[in-house]
């Protein structure tokens, strides 16, 4: 596994000494003992792979564990003089590992320091990510956009500032947010965990961070090579965190696990160097004003403040492209001070007739049904023409899907049949007079 970034010049070298890890010898010995005990490892190479530390540092730690009678040698694997030495925990070592796990049940990759995390985020900032017009057009290639909208979205993305997409429902705001996230994709390094004042914050999340390679495919040169990378970082695609009505203010704080005595990084922190999408703003249990108030300082200052249960408060970078989307009028969501903190407020309006036709034809291709000129004219001239209903992007897939479902039910070939389109149209809205 080669660890390097293709976007930015951030490729930290493996620490050459215990001091260069930024962590104490005692902490690292505890971590190694816990890993050996829990995973039953017997060779130094396997321990290096498990804790993501290079051989030169692990040699120091193994010597310390042997000197303290925590580790005993078993001999070389298979009796071959060229084979790697095997080890096992002594009774003292096992007791030490059990006590260490009781204090902090973490036996994974070695964490990086808070300062190392800050440097990594700064070196890979979303504000340094430049999205070209061509790349943005490619990301939006399967969508029909109102004229001029792409020209407004491009500068907003390149600014790295917060964006609010607002407008009537069913016209692509969520799709646009995801397309912006696709445009931002690139390679970055993220740490497995972060060390803060004796506590461990679990950062890498496989549901958020997508590794470019198998993280367990570690080569010997990555451990013993003179130019070995810092394996405490894993190369991933820039993250996209999507949340909706389930978002609460406490999800933006550290989550403490009393069983393991570790912390889970909050959502917006996991989205560092990537995109954080808050969909359906205004549908959350807490008011939009409460959510925006919680995010005002991070969005304004580029930093957030988190707290451990010990009471220690510390600063972390807030480096994420923040995208809100809502169907509710912005002035009904938050006050003027809150709206001022959202730098780009972009209306996603209903499609015009020509745009609706393009959407309809694309949806026909998506559903694998032949576009029917008579059916399209019926929709435009009769259904829309004889009602107060205005065009919406979601109408096209809605009408096609229900029409084809009716064909399937009646055992007829799948086609855009006008009687079934009329039935689908009646399902668009409820009769408010009832």
């Amino acid at each position: 596994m080669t660890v390097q970034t293709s976007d930015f010049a951030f490729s930290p070298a493996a620490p050459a000494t215990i001091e260069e890890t930024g962590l104490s010898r005692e902490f690292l010995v505890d971590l190694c003992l816990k890993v050996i005990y829990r995973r039953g490892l017997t060779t130094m190479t396997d321990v290096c792979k498990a804790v993501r530390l290079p051989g030169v540092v692990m040699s120091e730690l193994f010597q310390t564990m042997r000197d303290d009678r925590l580790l005993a040698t078993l001999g070389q694997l298979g009796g071959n003089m060229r084979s790697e030495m095997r080890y096992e925990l002594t009774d003292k070592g096992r007791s030490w590992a059990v006590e260490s796990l009781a204090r902090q049940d973490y036996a994974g990759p070695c964490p990086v320091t808070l300062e190392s995390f800050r440097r990594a985020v700064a070196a890979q900032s979303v504000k340094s990510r430049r999205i070209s017009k061509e790349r943005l057009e490619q990301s939006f290639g399967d969508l029909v956009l109102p004229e001029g909208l792409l020209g407004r979205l491009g500068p907003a993305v390149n600014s790295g500032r917060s964006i609010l997409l607002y407008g009537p429902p069913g016209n692509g705001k969520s799709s646009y947010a995801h397309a912006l996230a696709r445009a931002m994709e690139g390679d970055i390094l993220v740490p497995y965990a972060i060390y803060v004042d004796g506590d461990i914050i679990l950062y890498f999340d496989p549901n958020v961070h997508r590794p470019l390679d198998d993280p367990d495919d570690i080569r010997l040169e990555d451990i013993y090579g003179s130019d070995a990378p810092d394996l405490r970082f894993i190369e991933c695609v820039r993250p996209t965190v999507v949340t909706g009505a389930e978002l609460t203010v406490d999800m933006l704080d550290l989550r403490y696990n009393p069983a393991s005595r570790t912390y889970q990084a909050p959502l917006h922190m996991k989205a560092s160097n990537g995109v954080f999408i808050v969909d359906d703003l205004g549908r959350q249990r807490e008011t939009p004003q409460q959510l925006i108030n919680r995010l005002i300082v991070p969005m304004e200052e580029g930093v957030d403040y988190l707290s451990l249960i010990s009471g220690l408060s510390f600063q972390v970078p807030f480096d994420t492209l923040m995208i809100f989307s809502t169907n509710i009028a912005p002035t009904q969501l938050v006050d003027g001070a809150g709206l001022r903190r959202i730098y780009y407020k972009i209306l996603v309006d209903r499609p015009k007739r020509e745009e609706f036709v393009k959407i309809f034809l694309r949806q026909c291709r998506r559903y694998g049904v032949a576009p029917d000129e008579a059916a399209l004219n019926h929709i435009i001239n009769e259904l829309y023409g004889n009602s107060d209903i205005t065009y919406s992007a979601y109408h096209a897939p809605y009408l096609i899907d229900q029409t084809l479902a009716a064909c399937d039910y009646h055992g007829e070939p799948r086609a855009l049949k006008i009687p079934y389109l009329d039935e689908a149209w009646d399902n668009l809205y409820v009769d408010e007079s009832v």
Side-chain angles (χ1 to χ4, degrees):
M1 181 182 70
T2 302
V3 180
Q4 61 183 13
T5 56
S6 59
D7 283 341
F8 307 109
F10 179 71
S11 186
T17 63
I18 288 175
E19 289 70 26
E20 287 185 11
T21 67
L23 306 169
S24 70
R25 184 181 297 264
E26 292 74 20
F27 173 85
L28 293 174
V29 166
D30 276 4
L31 180 62
C32 290
L33 290 172
K34 290 187 288 187
V35 167
I36 294 170
Y37 175 81
R38 177 152 287 173
R39 303 192 188 186
L41 304 180
T42 60
T43 68
M44 191 169 74
T45 296
D46 285 341
V47 179
C48 286
K49 290 180 178 181
V51 300
R52 276 23 180 212
L53 286 176
V56 63
V57 172
M58 194 57 65
S59 294
E60 284 191 70
L61 296 173
F62 265 56
Q63 188 60 52
T64 297
M65 290 187 284
R66 291 181 65 190
D67 291 345
D68 292 342
R69 304 198 194 299
L70 302 171
L71 206 60
T73 58
L74 288 174
Q76 289 168 304
L77 188 64
N80 188 331
M81 293 298 292
R82 299 175 63 183
S83 298
E84 187 172 2
M85 186 67 71
R86 294 182 301 129
Y87 300 87
E88 69 173 355
L89 296 178
T90 62
D91 289 341
K92 180 182 178 182
R94 281 188 287 274
S95 297
W96 193 302
V98 170
E99 291 173 6
S100 296
L101 284 167
R103 290 192 300 271
Q104 188 177 70
D105 192 355
Y106 178 78
C110 181
V112 302
T113 63
L114 181 58
E115 185 55 37
S116 294
F117 172 67
R118 289 170 178 159
R119 286 198 301 268
V121 173
Q124 305 172 115
S125 174
V126 292
K127 293 181 174 62
S128 300
R129 182 82 167 132
R130 291 292 174 261
I131 307 300
S132 67
K133 179 182 177 182
E134 293 72 25
R135 181 175 177 86
L136 204 58
E137 288 174 345
Q138 183 181 18
S139 296
F140 281 80
D142 59 343
L143 300 171
V144 176
L145 278 75
E147 184 179 353
L149 183 60
L150 206 62
R152 296 194 64 194
L153 292 172
V157 172
N158 279 334
S159 75
R161 295 287 193 172
S162 51
I163 301 171
L164 172 65
L165 303 176
Y166 70 97
N171 290 295
K173 293 182 294 296
S174 297
S175 297
Y176 295 167
H178 285 272
L180 290 174
R182 286 195 299 273
M184 286 293 293
E185 287 183 352
D187 306 349
I188 63 166
L189 292 179
V190 302
Y192 284 96
I194 304 167
Y195 180 90
V196 180
D197 196 42
D199 283 302
I200 293 177
I201 300 172
L202 306 181
Y203 185 81
F204 173 74
D205 183 344
N207 295 316
V208 172
H209 303 110
R210 288 182 288 150
L212 297 184
D213 300 304
D214 181 356
D216 294 322
D217 182 19
I218 299 174
R219 305 171 304 179
L220 288 178
E221 53 262 44
D222 292 331
I223 298 173
Y224 298 109
S226 58
D227 58 349
D230 192 341
L231 296 176
R232 296 177 296 169
F233 291 91
I234 178 173
E235 191 173 32
C236 298
V237 176
R238 285 184 182 269
T240 297
V241 173
V242 182
T243 184
E246 74 280 6
L247 179 63
T248 57
V249 169
D250 61 5
M251 293 168 70
L252 302 176
D253 294 321
L254 290 170
R255 296 178 62 186
Y256 180 68
N257 184 333
S260 65
R261 294 180 175 83
T262 59
Y263 292 84
Q264 188 71 230
L267 289 177
H268 63 302
M269 187 177 175
K270 291 180 181 180
S272 294
N273 298 140
V275 180
F276 186 28
I277 299 173
V278 179
D279 210 358
D280 277 332
L281 182 64
R283 306 295 181 192
Q284 290 74 22
R285 183 176 65 197
E286 288 157 324
T287 67
Q289 188 69 57
Q290 289 174 303
L291 291 172
I292 296 298
N293 286 347
R294 170 63 181 84
L295 291 167
I296 278 180
V297 169
M299 289 192 297
E300 276 283 286
E301 300 183 7
V303 297
D304 195 16
Y305 297 88
L306 303 176
S307 298
L308 303 174
I309 60 171
S310 64
L312 176 71
S313 180
F314 59 95
Q315 186 184 101
V316 295
F318 182 84
D319 187 89
T320 179
L321 180 65
M322 192 91 210
I323 304 176
F324 302 94
S325 73
T326 184
N327 302 327
I328 303 171
T331 52
Q332 296 178 19
L333 292 173
V334 294
D335 59 20
L339 282 177
R340 182 167 60 83
R341 264 59 178 215
I342 303 176
Y343 276 69
Y344 290 84
K345 295 166 275 288
I346 298 175
L347 172 64
V348 179
D349 210 347
R350 301 177 187 276
K352 298 176 182 176
R353 172 174 170 161
E354 316 84 70
E355 294 160 350
F356 177 82
V357 171
K358 290 180 182 178
I359 294 170
F360 186 85
L361 295 177
R362 288 198 183 194
Q363 290 299 321
C364 284
R365 289 196 294 270
R366 176 179 162 231
Y367 278 90
V369 61
D372 186 294
E373 186 175 351
L376 182 56
N377 287 334
H378 180 74
I379 293 171
I380 299 296
N381 299 321
E382 300 298 327
L383 299 182
Y384 281 114
N386 294 322
S387 74
D388 295 328
I389 297 176
T390 52
Y391 296 109
S392 285
Y394 82 94
H395 288 174
Y398 190 100
L399 292 171
I400 295 171
D401 186 84
Q402 291 205 15
T403 299
L404 297 183
C407 291
D408 293 342
Y409 174 75
H410 292 288
E412 300 175 10
R414 305 187 104 201
L416 299 178
K417 300 186 176 182
I418 289 176
Y420 299 152
L421 279 170
D422 290 340
E423 291 177 6
W425 181 265
D426 290 338
N427 291 330
L428 273 176
Y429 297 96
V430 296
D431 186 346
E432 296 183 3
S433 66
V434 176

